[in-house]
Amino acid sequence: MDVEHLIRSIPKAELHIHIEGSLEPELMFAIAKRNNVSLRYRSVEDLRRAYDFSDLQSFLDIYYEGAHVLRTERDFHDMTAAYLQRAQADNVTHAEMFFDPQTHTDRGIEFATVIDGIWSAMQDSPISTRLILCFLRHLSAESAMKTLETALPFKDRIVAVGLDSSEVGNPPSKFAAVFARARAEGFRAVAHAGEEGPPAYIREALDLLGVSRIDHGVRCLEDPAIVAELVAKKIPLTVCPLSNVKLRVFPSMKQHNIKELLARGLRVTINSDDPAYFGGYVVDNFLAVHRALGLSERDVRQLAQNSFDARFL
């Protein structure tokens, strides 16, 4: 079978997608107009030209500005519905979506407004879905704990907690107590680690946060002991190739280590991260890796199988 046809047609699960990062410029401008919110970019084209990032922080600055247009339950519904329709077109049959409530509650939006809008779109979706609440690691552990407590009345809608935002200088250990409380409440745990941060952050996420998956994790190869543990325990890595190149984790796709991760026996999955900002959804990520590094039919099938094996079902 032609590999590119297989990439497009094979069923896939997406496990690393920030729903706010799926907000395409066209929808961002439409919601801004609906809510009478001013953007500092004059057009969709001007905004897309700004998506030239030098590192994670330069992306986050624009990401948080884009999220500022989201004000109502309808806004969160429309954003989520748009992503799920796009995911279905890539034959994603299951999606586990991150959301960042602190991005919204810190500017006065009620937690219920955020989750109700996302949840309503999930109920209308043709694909199966799960929701993961992420804490913003550049904020305090106290803020994360408050967010967790606010989320408890909605715990039947949330399968896991996660950790995202600025990695360097914000180690997983900062949130050990929050994750202990979350696990005690019955949540699974994941965390961004080993993207810009060192392999030691992966170690902390495993030992101190009790995570079931590592989001990104591409720097694990710098520590053979961590690689051995990830392989032995079958801990999945939710890798986002286009994101890694866009944020300069790797200088180009040809330098990406995903083929080596696969060869080492790691449970690697391919995901889109923040597709509106990084230039592609799941199929685009698969195709970018294939065209730069060459994926065999066996590789594609293994990556797809890994995504289903790593689901929280």
Side-chain angles (χ1 to χ4, degrees):
M1 178 182 288
D2 174 72
V3 172
E4 293 202 3
H5 175 72
L6 178 63
I7 285 170
R8 292 186 173 92
S9 62
I10 195 169
K12 296 167 280 286
E14 175 148 46
L15 309 176
H16 187 151
I17 165 71
H18 299 269
I19 196 61
E20 293 93 345
S22 72
L23 184 59
E24 291 285 351
E26 291 84 357
L27 184 56
M28 187 189 301
F29 270 83
I31 292 175
K33 182 178 180 181
R34 187 163 77 199
N35 292 337
N36 197 28
V37 175
S38 296
L39 293 169
R40 62 188 173 104
Y41 301 96
R42 293 190 301 175
S43 67
V44 166
E45 292 72 25
D46 283 346
L47 180 55
R48 285 195 188 278
R49 279 193 287 271
Y51 295 174
D52 182 19
F53 310 116
S54 58
D55 56 16
L56 178 59
Q57 190 58 53
S58 64
F59 153 66
L60 289 171
D61 291 341
I62 289 182
Y63 169 87
Y64 291 128
E65 181 178 355
H68 190 68
V69 307
L70 301 166
R71 304 294 175 89
T72 69
E73 184 176 327
R74 179 185 174 190
D75 299 339
F76 290 97
H77 175 281
D78 290 355
M79 173 181 65
T80 306
Y83 161 71
L84 291 170
Q85 290 168 8
R86 183 61 182 78
Q88 185 186 22
D90 278 355
N91 207 16
V92 171
T93 60
H94 177 80
E96 297 183 359
M97 302 175 294
F98 299 131
F99 76 117
D100 291 337
Q102 289 158 291
T103 297
H104 314 295
T105 56
D106 281 6
R107 54 191 177 85
I109 308 300
E110 293 292 328
F111 186 98
T113 298
V114 179
I115 197 167
D116 285 350
I118 295 171
W119 185 254
S120 65
M122 291 168 65
Q123 303 319 293
D124 296 337
S125 173
I127 69 177
S128 69
T129 54
R130 295 291 186 273
L131 195 57
I132 298 173
L133 184 161
C134 277
F135 305 115
L136 299 181
R137 66 201 308 158
H138 69 277
L139 300 179
S140 69
E142 291 76 18
S143 175
M145 187 68 82
K146 180 180 177 182
T147 299
L148 175 60
E149 291 169 351
T150 302
L152 291 179
F154 304 91
K155 65 188 299 183
D156 61 322
R157 301 182 183 183
I158 301 168
V159 71
V161 297
L163 188 64
D164 62 9
S165 190
S166 313
E167 187 178 4
V168 175
N170 295 295
S173 54
K174 175 179 172 183
F175 299 91
V178 180
F179 274 71
R181 171 75 185 282
R183 294 198 315 275
E185 293 286 351
F187 295 109
R188 305 287 289 271
V190 301
H192 286 49
E195 178 190 14
E196 285 195 324
Y201 283 16
I202 301 175
R203 169 59 56 204
E204 288 190 4
L206 293 170
D207 294 351
L208 302 180
L209 303 189
V211 300
S212 303
R213 295 196 303 243
I214 296 290
D215 299 315
H216 293 298
V218 292
R219 292 189 62 187
C220 68
L221 293 180
E222 298 171 29
D223 188 326
I226 288 177
V227 171
E229 181 173 343
L230 293 171
V231 171
K233 294 183 177 179
K234 298 181 179 180
I235 303 290
L237 303 182
T238 63
V239 177
C240 306
L242 286 173
S243 166
N244 293 158
V245 173
K246 194 76 170 178
L247 299 184
R248 315 295 175 88
V249 177
F250 297 97
S252 75
M253 195 64 74
K254 287 186 179 296
Q255 279 74 51
H256 203 289
N257 66 6
I258 191 166
K259 290 270 287 191
E260 185 175 358
L261 295 172
L262 272 174
R264 295 285 191 94
L266 289 152
R267 184 170 283 182
V268 182
T269 67
I270 286 183
N271 310 269
S272 65
D273 201 2
D274 300 274
Y277 294 88
F278 298 147
Y281 290 78
V282 169
V283 162
D284 301 306
N285 276 268
F286 268 89
L287 290 174
V289 172
H290 174 59
R291 291 166 181 171
L293 300 172
L295 292 173
S296 66
E297 180 179 337
R298 181 179 179 181
D299 291 335
V300 174
R301 294 188 184 280
Q302 186 64 61
L303 288 161
Q305 183 64 54
N306 287 348
S307 71
F308 288 106
D309 290 342
R311 292 174 301 174
F312 287 154
L313 287 178

